[in-house]
Amino acid sequence: METAVAKTPEKRQVVFLTILLLLWEAGSEAIRYSMPEETESGYLVANLAKDLGLRVGELATRGARIHHRGNKELLKLDAETGNLLLREKPDREVLCGVTDPCVLHFQLILENPVQFFQTDLQITDINDHAPEFPHREMLLKIQEIAQPGTVFPLKAAQDSDIGSNAVQNYTVSPNLHFHVVTQSRADGRKYPELVLDRALDREEEPELTLILTAVDGGSPPKSGTTIVHIEVVDINDNAPQFVQSLYEVQVPENSPLDAVVLTVSARDLDAGIHGNVAYSLFQGGEVSQPFVIDDVTGEIRLKRILDFEATPYYNMDIVATDSGGLSGKCSVAIQVVDVNDNAPKLTISSLTTSIPENAPEAVVAVFSVSDPDSGDNGRMVCSIQNDLPFVLKPTFENYYSLVAEGPLDRESRAEYNITITVTDMGTPRLTTQHTITVQVSDINDNAPAFTQTSYTLFVQENNSPALHIGTISATDSDSGSNAHITYSLLPTHDPQLALDSLISINADNGQLFALRALDYEALQTFEFHVGATDQGSPALSSQALVRVLVLDANDNAPFVLYPLQNASAPCTELLPRAAEPGYLVTKVVAVDRDSGQNAWLSFQLLKATEPGLFSVWAHNGEVRTSRLLSERDAPKHRLLLLVKDNGDPPRSASVTLHVLLVDGFSQPYLPLPEVARDLVQDEDVLTLYLVIALASVSSIFLLSVLLFVGVRLCRRARAASLGGCSVPEGHFPGHLVDVSGAGTLAQSYQYEVCLTGDSGNTDFKFFNPIIPSSLFQNP
């Protein structure tokens, strides 16, 4: 849609004109500041907040910034304090050249709402350049017949300064023949003329040397000098004269190099060599001018490309000199004609590439357009596509705002590509396009959702620290920061579970790590919750349950509970010689802290004193006899058993059993002489003390039993005298031994003893224990 008046609907035209009038009324009066050139950087130019009547800090909150409109970024704004500071040292000659006054235009742009202020900074000249002549020496040929009062033009000195700091006066070294007169051109620049005071005599003085000094008007003044060599020549009484004293010509700025701009012509009435005329550039200076003149034909040609935007016109002087030294002068005024060689320039001052979907009339961009061409070549029309919900609003001096017509809907369209087209009115028309991509940002209306409501992770125990055990994942249907998810561990309600020392989570990708090695025997399973939170405002979150199952590893060897292997004395099992095959000698009890097949134990007999006499049940550890005992069997046996689990690799433990053969449980346990000698040789003094102590305890126990039996007999005799006691008749058979499957008599037993009145011998009958033997078996 174009913003030109002829192509804009009537209603929109009224709105635009109203906005322009309001903005122009608010910012038509420019704020002007002035400062001298070469001022040091950091210089405080002014306080814009104070000058504009704004509060301290308002510039910062409204996003104030300085737009230089193609100028060098000379100023910087401290938005917090409102101070306008000098960014770098300015040089008026670089910034403005010969333009006077040197005024730089800047704009102060505020947002919320959009507001513009025009700021002008005038750079005043200081006397920082001395006059400088084009050449250190110049040659002037003067005929000896020249009359006093004759004027001879001299080349002027160049001074980059302007005004009073430019060249103001010329002087010449003291002499008898000449003085210098300072003349002014139409543009105010000064140039010298040498005036003859006294006639020359070539025979008397053929050459003269003068020092020409140019002095500027600065304080203090600066000067430059050149040496003027004067050669007195013979008579040449006619000076060249140009056909026109002023030549005016217009040259298009796109003229090719070496193109003929103008041909000047001068005539000399003298004959011979004195009538030959040579042309040269004079007052303009050969170096600074983009032109060159043919010294014979007088054709002025272009030696450097012209630029209307840099220099729109040139003034120079042409001198025609004959061989006798006489010269004539004319002026040439060249006007550079502008052509449409510059496309419009679009400068973005403020750009917002993302706007919320529910924001009405959001400002997307603030930009300015410019074209250095003049006339219709510099007039511009700005437009965007018609099918977009955006409009261009002109604001102030070629400034535009790109604004949304109303709230946008992200669900229908999340991105817009807006092409701003700027076209000038020149011939041919030049166009500049700039495309802005606008993202419609989402509001945070969706919470993260986990891919699963709960996660079950399996970890092998004895894992390495910082092991990655699994990953949780959540998605968010929002976009941008609203969809950026951060994962975290939620506090657990179990005071026994130190979750921070067990598990960590990567906040960015949801990876879970075990911080230390887990032990199945200490912790088999645990649960915790993880949270997923987006970065929206306000932030939304959700949570999921994570269950960690620790898998068992075969890291524990079997442990033998019975018989104890760390006792000071070996455990000895008693085996009656009358034991039947399959008699239970003892039972090896072992456990394994592992679980599953890692805790399945098997028992194996590795070594025995008498192979084939004993066997071990593989599954329960029972040690039984394999055959009947004989007299040839050794009285003492040593068995080495292996307890092995079913892990991979398997772990095992060994256990040693000592079995002593006895004739019966009533026979005291007395080792054979050779066995006793072996024990005495093997045991140390401490073991001997222990044996003595055990013998003493056994004696006391036996004495107690006898006393107990005597007391019981007395009670029975008293009872028999009163009512009688049923006593079996006949003698008790001797040497009766209980060979039931009860195994070693490691527990306390109760016995009943009956004595016959006519018996001369007292025999004990060993009955089965009142307490069942199964209660005393090793588990």
Side-chain angles (χ1 to χ4, degrees), residues 37 92-93 97-99 125-134 156-170 189-190 214-218 220-224 283-284 288:
E37 65 171 329
R92 192 206 63 80
E93 288 73 29
V98 298
T99 303
D125 185 48
I126 64 173
N127 191 25
D128 56 344
H129 293 86
E132 184 177 356
F133 285 92
Q158 306 295 323
D159 194 328
S160 299
D161 296 323
I162 61 172
S164 61
N165 294 325
V167 176
Q168 299 295 322
N169 189 29
Y170 291 90
R189 289 188 290 175
K190 310 291 184 179
V215 182
D216 61 22
K222 296 185 177 182
S223 61
Q283 294 291 347
S288 61

Short mmCIF file of all heavy atoms in Angstrom, two decimals, residues 37 92-93 97-99 125-134 156-170 189-190 214-218 220-224 283-284 288:
data_model
loop_
_atom_site.label_atom_id
_atom_site.label_comp_id
_atom_site.label_asym_id
_atom_site.label_seq_id
_atom_site.Cartn_x
_atom_site.Cartn_y
_atom_site.Cartn_z
N GLU A 37 35.09 22.90 16.74
CA GLU A 37 35.70 21.66 16.29
C GLU A 37 36.92 21.32 17.16
O GLU A 37 37.40 22.13 17.94
CB GLU A 37 36.11 21.79 14.82
CG GLU A 37 37.21 22.82 14.57
CD GLU A 37 37.73 22.77 13.13
OE1 GLU A 37 37.72 21.68 12.54
OE2 GLU A 37 38.17 23.82 12.62
N ARG A 92 35.75 19.89 11.54
CA ARG A 92 34.78 20.58 10.69
C ARG A 92 35.11 20.42 9.22
O ARG A 92 34.21 20.27 8.38
CB ARG A 92 34.75 22.07 11.07
CG ARG A 92 33.59 22.86 10.46
CD ARG A 92 33.93 24.32 10.32
NE ARG A 92 35.04 24.51 9.41
CZ ARG A 92 34.93 24.51 8.08
NH1 ARG A 92 33.76 24.32 7.51
NH2 ARG A 92 35.98 24.66 7.31
N GLU A 93 36.40 20.45 8.88
CA GLU A 93 36.79 20.37 7.48
C GLU A 93 36.42 19.00 6.90
O GLU A 93 36.07 18.90 5.72
CB GLU A 93 38.29 20.62 7.33
CG GLU A 93 38.71 22.07 7.55
CD GLU A 93 38.66 22.48 9.01
OE1 GLU A 93 38.85 21.57 9.88
OE2 GLU A 93 38.42 23.65 9.30
N GLY A 97 33.52 20.34 4.94
CA GLY A 97 34.31 20.92 3.86
C GLY A 97 34.24 22.44 3.90
O GLY A 97 34.51 23.08 4.92
N VAL A 98 33.84 23.04 2.76
CA VAL A 98 33.78 24.50 2.67
C VAL A 98 32.40 25.03 3.03
O VAL A 98 32.18 26.24 2.99
CB VAL A 98 34.16 24.95 1.24
CG1 VAL A 98 35.59 24.54 0.92
CG2 VAL A 98 33.20 24.37 0.21
N THR A 99 31.47 24.13 3.38
CA THR A 99 30.11 24.58 3.71
C THR A 99 30.12 25.37 5.01
O THR A 99 30.73 24.94 6.00
CB THR A 99 29.17 23.37 3.85
OG1 THR A 99 29.20 22.62 2.63
CG2 THR A 99 27.76 23.81 4.14
N ASP A 125 34.23 26.76 13.42
CA ASP A 125 35.61 26.59 12.96
C ASP A 125 36.59 27.19 13.96
O ASP A 125 36.31 28.21 14.60
CB ASP A 125 35.77 27.25 11.59
CG ASP A 125 37.15 26.99 11.01
OD1 ASP A 125 37.59 25.83 11.02
OD2 ASP A 125 37.79 27.96 10.56
N ILE A 126 37.73 26.51 14.10
CA ILE A 126 38.87 27.08 14.83
C ILE A 126 40.04 27.14 13.86
O ILE A 126 40.06 26.45 12.84
CB ILE A 126 39.22 26.25 16.08
CG1 ILE A 126 39.68 24.84 15.66
CG2 ILE A 126 38.05 26.17 17.05
CD1 ILE A 126 40.21 24.02 16.81
N ASN A 127 40.98 27.95 14.19
CA ASN A 127 42.12 28.16 13.29
C ASN A 127 43.13 27.03 13.49
O ASN A 127 44.14 27.18 14.17
CB ASN A 127 42.76 29.52 13.57
CG ASN A 127 43.77 29.89 12.49
OD1 ASN A 127 43.69 29.43 11.35
ND2 ASN A 127 44.73 30.75 12.84
N ASP A 128 42.83 25.86 12.86
CA ASP A 128 43.71 24.71 13.01
C ASP A 128 44.45 24.37 11.72
O ASP A 128 45.08 23.32 11.64
CB ASP A 128 42.92 23.49 13.49
CG ASP A 128 41.75 23.17 12.58
OD1 ASP A 128 41.38 24.03 11.78
OD2 ASP A 128 41.23 22.04 12.68
N HIS A 129 44.33 25.23 10.70
CA HIS A 129 45.07 25.00 9.45
C HIS A 129 45.77 26.29 9.05
O HIS A 129 45.18 27.38 9.11
CB HIS A 129 44.13 24.57 8.32
CG HIS A 129 43.50 23.23 8.55
ND1 HIS A 129 42.35 23.05 9.28
CD2 HIS A 129 43.89 21.99 8.16
CE1 HIS A 129 42.05 21.78 9.32
NE2 HIS A 129 42.96 21.09 8.65
N ALA A 130 46.98 26.15 8.63
CA ALA A 130 47.75 27.30 8.13
C ALA A 130 47.57 27.43 6.62
O ALA A 130 47.34 26.42 5.93
CB ALA A 130 49.24 27.15 8.46
N PRO A 131 47.62 28.62 6.08
CA PRO A 131 47.54 28.78 4.62
C PRO A 131 48.66 28.02 3.94
O PRO A 131 49.78 27.92 4.48
CB PRO A 131 47.65 30.30 4.42
CG PRO A 131 47.23 30.90 5.73
CD PRO A 131 47.69 29.93 6.78
N GLU A 132 48.38 27.51 2.77
CA GLU A 132 49.37 26.73 2.04
C GLU A 132 49.25 27.03 0.56
O GLU A 132 48.16 26.93 -0.02
CB GLU A 132 49.15 25.24 2.31
CG GLU A 132 50.21 24.35 1.67
CD GLU A 132 50.00 22.89 2.03
OE1 GLU A 132 49.08 22.60 2.83
OE2 GLU A 132 50.74 22.04 1.49
N PHE A 133 50.37 27.40 -0.06
CA PHE A 133 50.38 27.70 -1.49
C PHE A 133 50.47 26.40 -2.28
O PHE A 133 51.01 25.40 -1.78
CB PHE A 133 51.57 28.60 -1.84
CG PHE A 133 51.38 30.03 -1.41
CD1 PHE A 133 51.84 30.46 -0.17
CD2 PHE A 133 50.73 30.94 -2.23
CE1 PHE A 133 51.66 31.77 0.23
CE2 PHE A 133 50.55 32.25 -1.83
CZ PHE A 133 51.01 32.68 -0.59
N PRO A 134 49.93 26.39 -3.51
CA PRO A 134 49.99 25.17 -4.33
C PRO A 134 51.42 24.71 -4.60
O PRO A 134 51.67 23.52 -4.68
CB PRO A 134 49.27 25.56 -5.61
CG PRO A 134 48.40 26.73 -5.24
CD PRO A 134 49.15 27.46 -4.17
N ALA A 156 46.76 31.98 -5.44
CA ALA A 156 46.34 32.17 -4.06
C ALA A 156 46.70 30.95 -3.20
O ALA A 156 46.87 29.83 -3.70
CB ALA A 156 44.83 32.40 -3.98
N ALA A 157 46.85 31.21 -1.94
CA ALA A 157 47.10 30.13 -0.97
C ALA A 157 45.77 29.48 -0.58
O ALA A 157 44.71 30.12 -0.57
CB ALA A 157 47.80 30.69 0.27
N GLN A 158 45.83 28.22 -0.27
CA GLN A 158 44.65 27.47 0.14
C GLN A 158 44.64 27.33 1.67
O GLN A 158 45.66 27.06 2.28
CB GLN A 158 44.64 26.08 -0.50
CG GLN A 158 44.76 26.09 -2.02
CD GLN A 158 43.56 26.73 -2.67
OE1 GLN A 158 42.44 26.57 -2.21
NE2 GLN A 158 43.82 27.50 -3.74
N ASP A 159 43.45 27.49 2.29
CA ASP A 159 43.29 27.34 3.74
C ASP A 159 41.97 26.59 3.97
O ASP A 159 40.90 27.03 3.54
CB ASP A 159 43.24 28.72 4.42
CG ASP A 159 43.42 28.60 5.94
OD1 ASP A 159 42.99 27.56 6.51
OD2 ASP A 159 43.99 29.53 6.55
N SER A 160 42.07 25.44 4.63
CA SER A 160 40.87 24.62 4.87
C SER A 160 39.90 25.28 5.82
O SER A 160 38.72 24.90 5.87
CB SER A 160 41.28 23.24 5.41
OG SER A 160 42.09 22.57 4.49
N ASP A 161 40.37 26.23 6.63
CA ASP A 161 39.46 26.93 7.53
C ASP A 161 38.57 27.87 6.74
O ASP A 161 38.80 28.15 5.55
CB ASP A 161 40.26 27.71 8.58
CG ASP A 161 41.07 26.78 9.47
OD1 ASP A 161 40.55 25.70 9.78
OD2 ASP A 161 42.20 27.13 9.83
N ILE A 162 37.55 28.36 7.41
CA ILE A 162 36.59 29.24 6.75
C ILE A 162 36.44 30.51 7.58
O ILE A 162 36.93 30.61 8.72
CB ILE A 162 35.22 28.56 6.59
CG1 ILE A 162 34.65 28.20 7.96
CG2 ILE A 162 35.32 27.34 5.69
CD1 ILE A 162 33.22 27.68 7.89
N GLY A 163 35.71 31.48 6.97
CA GLY A 163 35.42 32.71 7.69
C GLY A 163 36.69 33.49 7.99
O GLY A 163 37.61 33.60 7.17
N SER A 164 36.73 34.01 9.21
CA SER A 164 37.89 34.82 9.59
C SER A 164 39.14 33.98 9.75
O SER A 164 40.25 34.53 9.76
CB SER A 164 37.59 35.56 10.91
OG SER A 164 37.32 34.62 11.94
N ASN A 165 39.00 32.66 9.89
CA ASN A 165 40.18 31.80 10.02
C ASN A 165 40.80 31.47 8.67
O ASN A 165 41.87 30.87 8.63
CB ASN A 165 39.81 30.50 10.74
CG ASN A 165 39.41 30.74 12.18
OD1 ASN A 165 39.95 31.62 12.84
ND2 ASN A 165 38.45 29.97 12.67
N ALA A 166 40.14 31.86 7.57
CA ALA A 166 40.72 31.64 6.25
C ALA A 166 41.73 32.76 5.94
O ALA A 166 41.97 33.65 6.75
CB ALA A 166 39.60 31.60 5.21
N VAL A 167 42.29 32.68 4.74
CA VAL A 167 43.30 33.67 4.36
C VAL A 167 42.65 35.05 4.29
O VAL A 167 41.61 35.24 3.65
CB VAL A 167 43.92 33.30 3.00
CG1 VAL A 167 44.89 34.38 2.55
CG2 VAL A 167 44.61 31.95 3.09
N GLN A 168 43.27 36.02 4.98
CA GLN A 168 42.73 37.38 5.03
C GLN A 168 43.65 38.42 4.38
O GLN A 168 43.18 39.48 3.96
CB GLN A 168 42.47 37.78 6.50
CG GLN A 168 41.47 36.89 7.20
CD GLN A 168 40.08 36.99 6.61
OE1 GLN A 168 39.66 38.08 6.21
NE2 GLN A 168 39.40 35.86 6.51
N ASN A 169 44.92 38.10 4.30
CA ASN A 169 45.85 39.14 3.82
C ASN A 169 47.08 38.48 3.23
O ASN A 169 47.47 37.37 3.63
CB ASN A 169 46.24 40.06 4.98
CG ASN A 169 47.00 41.28 4.50
OD1 ASN A 169 46.81 41.74 3.37
ND2 ASN A 169 47.88 41.80 5.33
N TYR A 170 47.68 39.20 2.25
CA TYR A 170 48.93 38.77 1.62
C TYR A 170 49.95 39.88 1.78
O TYR A 170 49.62 41.08 1.66
CB TYR A 170 48.73 38.46 0.14
CG TYR A 170 47.91 37.21 -0.13
CD1 TYR A 170 46.52 37.30 -0.25
CD2 TYR A 170 48.51 35.97 -0.25
CE1 TYR A 170 45.76 36.18 -0.50
CE2 TYR A 170 47.74 34.84 -0.50
CZ TYR A 170 46.37 34.94 -0.62
OH TYR A 170 45.63 33.82 -0.87
N ARG A 189 36.65 34.50 -0.98
CA ARG A 189 38.04 34.07 -0.82
C ARG A 189 39.00 35.16 -1.34
O ARG A 189 38.69 35.86 -2.31
CB ARG A 189 38.27 32.75 -1.57
CG ARG A 189 37.60 31.56 -0.90
CD ARG A 189 37.99 30.26 -1.55
NE ARG A 189 37.42 30.14 -2.90
CZ ARG A 189 37.68 29.13 -3.72
NH1 ARG A 189 38.51 28.18 -3.34
NH2 ARG A 189 37.13 29.09 -4.91
N LYS A 190 40.13 35.24 -0.68
CA LYS A 190 41.12 36.28 -0.99
C LYS A 190 42.18 35.72 -1.94
O LYS A 190 42.54 34.54 -1.85
CB LYS A 190 41.80 36.76 0.29
CG LYS A 190 40.85 37.14 1.44
CD LYS A 190 40.06 38.40 1.14
CE LYS A 190 39.20 38.79 2.34
NZ LYS A 190 38.44 40.02 2.10
N ALA A 214 51.05 34.52 2.99
CA ALA A 214 49.59 34.55 3.18
C ALA A 214 49.32 34.40 4.67
O ALA A 214 49.83 33.49 5.33
CB ALA A 214 48.92 33.43 2.40
N VAL A 215 48.49 35.28 5.21
CA VAL A 215 48.20 35.31 6.65
C VAL A 215 46.69 35.15 6.83
O VAL A 215 45.91 35.85 6.16
CB VAL A 215 48.69 36.60 7.31
CG1 VAL A 215 48.41 36.57 8.82
CG2 VAL A 215 50.18 36.81 7.04
N ASP A 216 46.27 34.21 7.73
CA ASP A 216 44.84 34.07 8.00
C ASP A 216 44.43 34.99 9.13
O ASP A 216 45.25 35.69 9.73
CB ASP A 216 44.46 32.61 8.29
CG ASP A 216 45.16 32.07 9.53
OD1 ASP A 216 45.60 32.85 10.39
OD2 ASP A 216 45.29 30.82 9.64
N GLY A 217 43.13 34.97 9.45
CA GLY A 217 42.61 35.87 10.48
C GLY A 217 42.40 35.21 11.82
O GLY A 217 41.64 35.74 12.65
N GLY A 218 43.02 34.08 12.04
CA GLY A 218 42.84 33.38 13.32
C GLY A 218 43.57 34.09 14.44
O GLY A 218 44.30 35.05 14.26
N PRO A 220 45.91 32.80 17.59
CA PRO A 220 46.85 33.64 16.85
C PRO A 220 46.82 33.32 15.36
O PRO A 220 46.44 32.22 14.98
CB PRO A 220 48.20 33.25 17.46
CG PRO A 220 48.01 31.85 17.91
CD PRO A 220 46.60 31.75 18.36
N PRO A 221 47.22 34.26 14.50
CA PRO A 221 47.18 34.03 13.06
C PRO A 221 48.25 33.03 12.62
O PRO A 221 49.29 32.89 13.25
CB PRO A 221 47.44 35.43 12.47
CG PRO A 221 48.18 36.15 13.55
CD PRO A 221 47.69 35.63 14.85
N LYS A 222 47.93 32.32 11.54
CA LYS A 222 48.88 31.40 10.94
C LYS A 222 49.17 31.86 9.52
O LYS A 222 48.35 32.55 8.91
CB LYS A 222 48.33 29.98 10.95
CG LYS A 222 48.13 29.42 12.35
CD LYS A 222 47.71 27.96 12.31
CE LYS A 222 47.57 27.41 13.74
NZ LYS A 222 47.21 25.98 13.74
N SER A 223 50.31 31.44 9.03
CA SER A 223 50.75 31.95 7.72
C SER A 223 51.44 30.87 6.93
O SER A 223 51.85 29.84 7.49
CB SER A 223 51.69 33.15 7.90
OG SER A 223 52.86 32.76 8.61
N GLY A 224 51.53 31.12 5.62
CA GLY A 224 52.25 30.26 4.72
C GLY A 224 52.97 31.10 3.69
O GLY A 224 52.53 32.21 3.35
N GLN A 283 43.30 30.04 -10.22
CA GLN A 283 42.87 30.22 -8.84
C GLN A 283 42.35 28.93 -8.20
O GLN A 283 42.45 28.75 -7.00
CB GLN A 283 41.79 31.31 -8.76
CG GLN A 283 42.28 32.69 -9.12
CD GLN A 283 43.24 33.24 -8.07
OE1 GLN A 283 43.34 32.70 -7.00
NE2 GLN A 283 43.96 34.29 -8.42
N GLY A 284 41.74 28.01 -8.97
CA GLY A 284 41.14 26.81 -8.36
C GLY A 284 42.15 25.82 -7.84
O GLY A 284 41.85 25.04 -6.95
N SER A 288 43.05 20.23 -6.47
CA SER A 288 41.72 20.09 -5.89
C SER A 288 40.63 20.01 -6.93
O SER A 288 39.53 19.55 -6.63
CB SER A 288 41.44 21.27 -4.94
OG SER A 288 41.49 22.50 -5.65
#
